Structures are given as structure tokens and as C-alpha cells.
Amino acid sequence: MGKYTSEIWFQQRLPCIIPTIMGVLMVKKSRVGMGFGLFVTTDFKEGDFIIEYTGEIISSKEADRRVSKYLFQIDEYYTIDGAGESNRARYINHFCNPNIEAVVEAGQINFYALRDIQEGEELGFDYGEEYKDEFITPFGCKCPHCA
């Protein structure tokens, strides 16, 4: 199954349930203009681990060459290209008022709850100025705070 075909196959089977260490997450349609999102199906407490951002670890030079919306910088030398289908964290949308944060720990990017998160809430973090300037601002922010 090719990449394009397998991604369509995945999307046709949404919502997708994702068991994690701390609870269960679900990929499903988000609010209008945001595509898919990652939602919690159990309550999370402030500080709880949510999910790891996974993908191919590439050099920063290679990251500069790639055209991808799923590049997440680990440090000045390495970046994770999270475009792969197995990276369910790629469905976390941008929120100007985030409920989770990304923390780089030993070369991994882990997401933690910034506050208590209730069952049914969508997860979102602040993507940062560079990403917002390139991909969000030209079309207008659609996050719950701005919409």
C-alpha cells in the first residue's frame, strides 16, 4: 500500500483510538479549518505525560531542504520529521492558548499537560512564531482562542 493510499485508508477509519501510557487519545475531525485533531478520551492531570512526537531524525541542514509541515527541531543540529503515518502526535493542532507543552528530553520530544485536561478536549500547543508566520498567519488562526 503506497503512502498516499495508506493515509486515505487511515483517514477513512477515523476516529482512531491510540492507547498511551497515561490514557487513551483519539484522532478525529477538529473544528472547521483545522483538519484532524488529537483528543483525549480520559482525564489528564497537570504535568501528566501525553504522547511522544516521533519520526525520522534528520540533520538541521536536511530539515532546511525538506518541504514539510511536520518538522520539529530537537536542537540546533537535529530535527524530527514527523510526517510519517505512525506519528499520531502530528495531529496536535496549534492553540494560541495551549493545554499541553513540548519538552525536549534526551533527544525526544514529549508532550505534557499544562493544566488538567478533561475527557473530550482537543490537545493543542503553541507552534512558535516561525511556524505561525509561515503556515498559520497567512490564512488566519482557527484555534479555539482566535476563531
Side-chain angles (χ1 to χ4, degrees):
M1 193 178 298
K3 181 177 180 180
Y4 179 73
T5 307
S6 60
E7 184 67 13
I8 290 173
W9 179 89
F10 168 74
Q11 291 176 2
Q12 290 172 344
R13 280 142 185 87
L14 289 176
C16 172
I17 305 298
I18 306 161
T20 69
I21 295 169
M22 296 298 294
V24 179
L25 306 174
M26 180 183 298
V27 176
K28 64 181 186 176
K29 290 292 272 179
S30 186
R31 47 191 312 115
V32 175
M34 292 185 75
F36 296 101
L38 192 60
F39 294 78
V40 299
T41 62
T42 55
D43 293 345
F44 284 86
K45 297 288 184 198
E46 180 180 343
D48 280 352
F49 169 78
I50 306 289
I51 193 170
E52 179 187 353
Y53 194 88
T54 61
E56 180 184 5
I57 297 176
I58 59 175
S59 70
S60 294
K61 287 182 181 181
E62 175 62 22
D64 290 340
R65 288 190 286 271
R66 292 196 183 183
V67 179
S68 175
K69 294 169 78 172
Y70 301 103
L71 298 174
F72 206 123
Q73 188 173 4
I74 298 171
D75 57 29
E76 63 182 291
Y77 304 105
Y78 296 101
T79 296
I80 294 177
D81 185 346
E85 295 170 35
S86 64
N87 178 28
R88 299 303 184 223
R90 74 186 185 146
Y91 292 102
I92 299 171
N93 282 314
H94 165 78
F95 283 9
C96 289
N97 187 16
N99 55 10
I100 60 173
E101 68 178 337
V103 178
V104 177
E105 299 173 307
Q108 295 178 300
I109 298 169
N110 297 316
F111 288 96
Y112 293 91
L114 285 171
R115 59 167 175 78
D116 291 352
I117 302 172
Q118 304 302 311
E119 176 182 345
E121 280 189 69
E122 182 175 2
L123 298 173
F125 78 103
D126 187 338
Y127 283 11
E129 293 304 316
E130 184 178 343
Y131 187 96
K132 286 191 286 191
D133 289 347
E134 187 172 347
F135 296 107
I136 295 174
T137 302
F139 306 101
C141 185
K142 307 289 190 247
C143 80
H145 178 76
C146 296

